[in-house]
Amino acid sequence: MSNSSISLVIASRNRAEVIERFLKCLTGIEWPKATEVIVVNNGSTDSTAEILKSYLNTLPLRIAEMPLKGKSLALNRGITQATGDLIVFADDDIEFRPDWLMQWSEIAGRYPSYGVFGGKIRVNESAVPNWIRRSHNLHEMLMSEHDLGNAPKPYPSNRYPIGPNMAVRRSLLEGIDTPWPIDLGPGTRIPLGDEYGFLVRLSRPEAQDRLYVPSPEVVHTPDSLSFPNAVRRCFLGGLAAGKLGRRYRAACLSAPMGRLMRDRLASCHSLRELCCMSVRAAGVTA
């Protein structure tokens, strides 16, 4: 078994303090061979550009520019710069162990039959309201928690990795000009759904080429989760799901959206959760 070369691709916009903290943490990790870090500056107007340049001599860093606002646009630009066998996508606000990228490199070599990988994402719950903590439905939807257990396993039908910690083989992207959907994701009218729109083009919902792996674990701190923000995010998530369902109808036939939504509504533990799930359902059909 040989380890794979890694391209870590990050998009950042006007989060100078956040990206500086991320890069500083990278200086203390274990580096797999042939690793590159590609940070796409997505039209930042703060000190992001200067901070990135200050790390050119201490990290295997490559800086790319995407002046037009949009995370998907930025990630598409980053992909064009990537040379690694495995492209790791992450958010700039995650926390990780020193062996994070080493784990990704070893996993890509250990499981050659899989092309799409999702890592465990734990959540810093210090600022998460109790009603969201109690909700199974909202953990991934609002907190980006992604935990399928402590052992590697293939993803079930229509289940995919999520953005703060996932990876794909670069070979899957050959011949695709804009793999990330530029009309979805942060910086667009519907700032969600971009990960599914990206991954469903690489792996059909029923395919068995996606693997969940717990070892490259990260910790993610969610954005503000006040009740109004939660409702808004659920509605936008529903809009994204409906848009993607119509766009990839043939690919998504295996996803019983109506039954899934009914099950989620029936499992709600509070009126706030029920409100969030009802608003999401409305967004799907909007």
Side-chain angles (χ1 to χ4, degrees):
M1 179 187 73
S2 60
N3 294 354
S4 297
S5 57
I6 298 290
S7 294
L8 172 61
V9 176
I10 301 285
S12 191
R13 175 181 170 85
N14 286 337
R15 286 155 62 94
E17 292 184 4
V18 175
I19 194 64
E20 183 171 27
R21 184 167 59 248
F22 181 86
L23 295 174
K24 185 176 181 179
C25 289
L26 282 180
T27 62
I29 71 169
E30 303 167 17
W31 290 99
K33 294 180 179 179
T35 300
E36 60 185 3
V37 179
I38 301 170
V39 178
V40 186
N41 184 2
N42 189 202
S44 297
T45 55
D46 60 3
S47 59
T48 292
E50 290 74 20
I51 288 169
L52 292 178
K53 290 176 183 177
S54 72
Y55 280 87
L56 284 172
N57 293 326
T58 55
L59 291 174
L61 176 64
R62 298 171 62 189
I63 303 170
E65 300 286 341
M66 171 44 68
L68 299 178
K69 183 180 179 181
K71 184 178 179 181
S72 289
L73 287 168
L75 292 177
N76 284 333
R77 176 62 55 85
I79 287 171
T80 66
Q81 306 295 311
T83 61
D85 300 323
L86 188 75
I87 301 180
V88 176
F89 297 98
D91 285 357
D92 57 9
D93 57 358
I94 60 169
E95 300 173 39
F96 45 85
R97 296 191 304 253
D99 67 345
W100 174 50
L101 290 182
M102 188 68 74
Q103 289 289 340
W104 274 124
S105 178
E106 293 174 358
I107 284 163
R110 190 182 309 149
Y111 300 102
S113 62
Y114 292 91
V116 174
F117 302 90
K120 178 184 284 190
I121 303 171
R122 294 192 296 109
V123 174
N124 178 0
E125 295 188 352
S126 60
V128 178
N130 286 332
W131 66 273
I132 296 178
R133 293 185 196 180
R134 294 195 302 266
S135 166
H136 174 74
N137 291 318
L138 299 176
H139 273 216
E140 186 165 301
M141 197 177 300
L142 293 180
M143 300 193 306
S144 295
E145 181 182 72
H146 195 65
D147 186 351
L148 277 62
N150 295 321
K153 64 181 66 176
Y155 279 92
S157 180
N158 206 46
R159 190 78 188 271
Y160 286 85
I162 60 176
N165 190 29
M166 67 182 198
V168 302
R169 295 193 189 275
R170 186 165 57 90
S171 58
L172 294 182
L173 301 171
E174 293 177 359
I176 305 178
D177 291 333
T178 54
W180 284 85
I182 61 175
D183 59 341
L184 293 172
T188 71
R189 186 178 68 87
I190 306 178
L192 298 167
D194 47 316
E195 296 145 13
Y196 185 95
F198 169 67
L199 293 173
V200 76
R201 298 181 67 185
L202 310 180
S203 173
R204 292 178 62 86
E206 72 279 6
Q208 292 292 299
D209 58 359
R210 303 186 300 277
L211 187 70
Y212 164 79
V213 284
S215 55
E217 178 183 302
V218 303
V219 177
H220 181 255
T221 300
D223 295 330
S224 173
L225 290 176
S226 65
F227 179 58
N229 285 344
V231 170
R232 178 178 180 273
R233 185 173 178 85
C234 285
F235 178 71
L236 291 171
L239 283 180
K243 188 180 185 74
L244 288 165
R246 292 184 292 271
R247 178 177 299 174
Y248 298 111
R249 185 175 301 276
C252 297
L253 286 178
S254 63
M257 184 65 71
R259 187 180 69 194
L260 176 63
M261 188 57 65
R262 288 194 299 270
D263 291 345
R264 285 178 169 175
L265 290 172
S267 65
C268 289
H269 290 86
S270 68
L271 287 175
R272 289 187 174 189
E273 181 183 2
L274 179 61
C275 179
C276 283
M277 298 312 298
S278 299
V279 164
R280 180 178 172 83
V284 170
T285 58

